[in-house]
């Protein structure tokens, strides 16, 4: 399994105001702020990372928040739904919490035998809380208001909406090692057996749906996890040999990455476990300061002057 895709690594989305994004994910949803850094391609914009205590792969949700950004529109060629695993019996807590904080949500329902509760973040990004059939024993990050008995455990899975699923399904099965687990109507559930959690990718086929438009409240890319750089480069060759265009290895400070766009239009990343989020901050101080990559450190004062205040 060491040379396999190990489920989801992280998911990245676009947000509007950074402060409301931070407040929602750390205070309402109870995630830990792991890193406060900048978009490496646009250092005047934050890159905020949220997750569990140590930023475990499969728990990491990141955002590029753009103040005043236009709302995007979810559609085909996008990841359209992010699902978090939560403990059985936690929905009453979450419904009360969503009511208290004016979060838009739908009443609980069920798919593939798993109860789920859909809700929207402040920018309209669609998320779900799911009680997995087989439970989830990952250690939760808890806050004063969101205790471990109800807290999120990390990702359960992600949904990709596509006009045709076959080309994307072939990438999942032939390159990334997933297999079809179940089908219900136009929803096809794929899973990797390499890990117990964050192992689900749902493909939803909507032939007449329009393409999504990027903006606040939409996903930017999803990242698959590999153990290290050796495995990363094995997948580089595998993707390239399939005829898809893939980037060279990119250093993202906390992991190494490759990017390619699958035939259905969704941007895929493959990211390593190493070096991890403890590389530039003590574990008990994660997210406490603005961290810049070395190329931007000489511009710290300039960058800090244009970034929105988060306090």
């Amino acid at each position: 399994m060491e040379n396999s895709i190990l489920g989801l690594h992280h998911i990245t989305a676009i947000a509007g105001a950074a402060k409301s994004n931070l407040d929602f994910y750390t205070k309402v949803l109870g995630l830990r702020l792991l890193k406060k850094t900048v978009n490496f391609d646009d250092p005047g914009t934050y890159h905020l990372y949220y997750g569990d205590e140590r930023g475990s792969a499969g728990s990491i949700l990141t955002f590029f928040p753009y103040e005043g950004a236009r709302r995007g529109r979810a559609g085909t060629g996008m990841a359209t739904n992010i699902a978090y695993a939560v403990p059985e019996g936690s929905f009453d807590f979450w419904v009360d919490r969503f009511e208290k904080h004016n979060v838009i949500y739908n009443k609980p329902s069920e798919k593939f035998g798993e109860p789920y509760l859909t809700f929207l973040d402040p920018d309209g990004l669609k998320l779900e809380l799911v009680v997995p059939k087989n439970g989830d024993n990952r250690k939760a990050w808890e806050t004063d208001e969101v205790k471990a008995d109800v807290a999120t455990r990390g990702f359960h899975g992600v949904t990709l909406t596509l006009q045709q699923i076959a080309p994307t399904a072939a990438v999942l099965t032939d390159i990334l090692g997933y297999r079809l687990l179940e089908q219900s109507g136009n929803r096809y559930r794929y899973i990797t057996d390499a890990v117990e959690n964050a192992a689900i990718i749902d493909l939803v086929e909507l032939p007449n749906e329009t393409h999504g438009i990027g903006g606040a409240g939409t996903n930017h890319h999803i990242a698959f996890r590999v153990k290290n750089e050796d495995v990363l480069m094995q997948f580089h060759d595998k993707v390239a040999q399939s005829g898809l265009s893939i980037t060279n290895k990119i250093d993202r400070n906390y992991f190494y990455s490759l990017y390619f766009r699958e035939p259905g239009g969704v941007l895929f990343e493959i990211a390593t476990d190493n070096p991890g989020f403890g590389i530039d901050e003590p574990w008990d101080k994660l997210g406490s300061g603005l961290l810049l990559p070395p190329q931007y450190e000489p511009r710290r004062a300039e960058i800090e002057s244009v970034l929105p205040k988060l306090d």
Side-chain angles (χ1 to χ4, degrees):
M1 294 295 183
E2 287 192 347
N3 294 335
S4 303
I5 292 292
L6 303 173
L8 289 168
H9 183 280
H10 70 269
I11 298 172
T12 294
I14 301 169
K19 181 66 165 61
S20 64
N21 180 264
L22 176 68
D23 287 347
F24 181 81
Y25 284 96
T26 59
K27 296 178 180 176
V28 178
L29 207 54
L31 304 182
R32 185 178 192 186
L33 177 62
L34 298 168
K35 289 294 170 188
K36 186 168 52 178
T37 182
V38 295
N39 183 333
F40 287 11
D41 301 316
D42 178 9
T45 302
Y46 281 117
H47 193 180
L48 303 177
Y49 290 72
Y50 307 104
D52 67 7
E53 181 179 6
R54 297 175 76 86
S56 305
S59 77
I60 310 158
L61 181 60
T62 92
F63 285 91
F64 300 128
Y66 295 92
E67 303 295 314
R70 71 171 187 182
R71 285 282 182 99
R73 188 188 71 209
T76 56
M78 275 187 174
T80 51
N81 195 334
I82 299 166
Y84 278 99
V86 293
E88 187 175 3
S90 63
F91 279 2
D92 286 348
F93 168 85
W94 285 108
V95 167
D96 288 346
R97 191 161 184 78
F98 292 160
E99 287 282 348
K100 178 181 176 183
H101 291 278
N102 298 314
V103 176
I104 297 173
Y105 69 96
N106 289 331
K107 65 181 182 181
S109 188
E110 186 174 300
K111 60 189 170 192
F112 296 120
E114 295 179 323
Y116 70 95
L117 173 62
T118 302
F119 63 103
L120 303 179
D121 84 353
D123 294 300
L125 185 68
K126 190 175 180 182
L127 301 110
E128 282 179 0
L129 302 177
V130 178
V131 178
K133 283 180 186 175
N134 300 319
D136 191 320
N137 294 321
R138 285 177 290 179
K139 183 181 178 182
W141 171 255
E142 64 176 18
T143 67
D144 290 342
E145 296 186 2
V146 183
K147 297 299 184 184
D149 61 337
V150 295
T152 61
R153 264 49 181 171
F155 297 135
H156 180 59
V158 65
T159 296
L160 313 184
T161 299
L162 306 156
Q163 291 187 331
Q164 297 181 338
I165 72 150
T168 305
V171 172
L172 291 178
T173 57
D174 299 350
I175 299 176
L176 302 181
Y178 282 69
R179 65 179 174 86
L180 179 63
L181 178 65
E182 297 176 87
Q183 179 192 350
S184 177
N186 66 342
R187 179 178 290 270
Y188 299 75
R189 173 154 292 188
Y190 288 82
I191 190 169
T192 173
D193 296 315
V195 289
E196 293 183 355
N197 311 114
I200 300 291
I201 305 289
D202 279 357
L203 304 185
V204 172
E205 189 168 66
L206 293 174
N208 298 317
E209 180 67 36
T210 56
H211 288 284
I213 298 174
T218 62
N219 281 288
H220 188 270
H221 66 266
I222 67 170
F224 296 90
R225 173 192 173 203
V226 292
K227 181 179 179 181
N228 55 39
E229 295 165 73
D230 288 341
V231 183
L232 185 76
M233 296 316 294
Q234 291 174 29
F235 276 96
H236 177 280
D237 294 345
K238 202 170 180 179
V239 172
Q241 288 164 10
S242 77
L244 295 172
S245 179
I246 186 166
T247 67
N248 293 323
K249 183 176 70 175
I250 299 173
D251 183 353
R252 294 301 190 193
N253 268 17
Y254 311 112
F255 42 84
Y256 296 92
S257 296
L258 302 168
Y259 297 86
F260 68 101
R261 198 169 293 279
E262 58 83 24
V266 183
L267 183 61
F268 280 4
E269 178 181 353
I270 304 175
T272 62
D273 281 353
N274 63 298
F277 290 96
I279 188 173
D280 55 4
E281 280 180 310
W283 289 109
D284 63 345
K285 302 293 185 186
L286 293 185
S288 59
L290 176 66
L291 296 172
L292 301 177
Q295 66 268 31
Y296 294 134
E297 196 57 55
R299 295 174 53 192
R300 173 173 284 274
E302 171 200 345
I303 290 170
E304 288 182 335
S305 71
V306 300
L307 290 173
K309 301 299 181 188
L310 296 179
D311 298 329

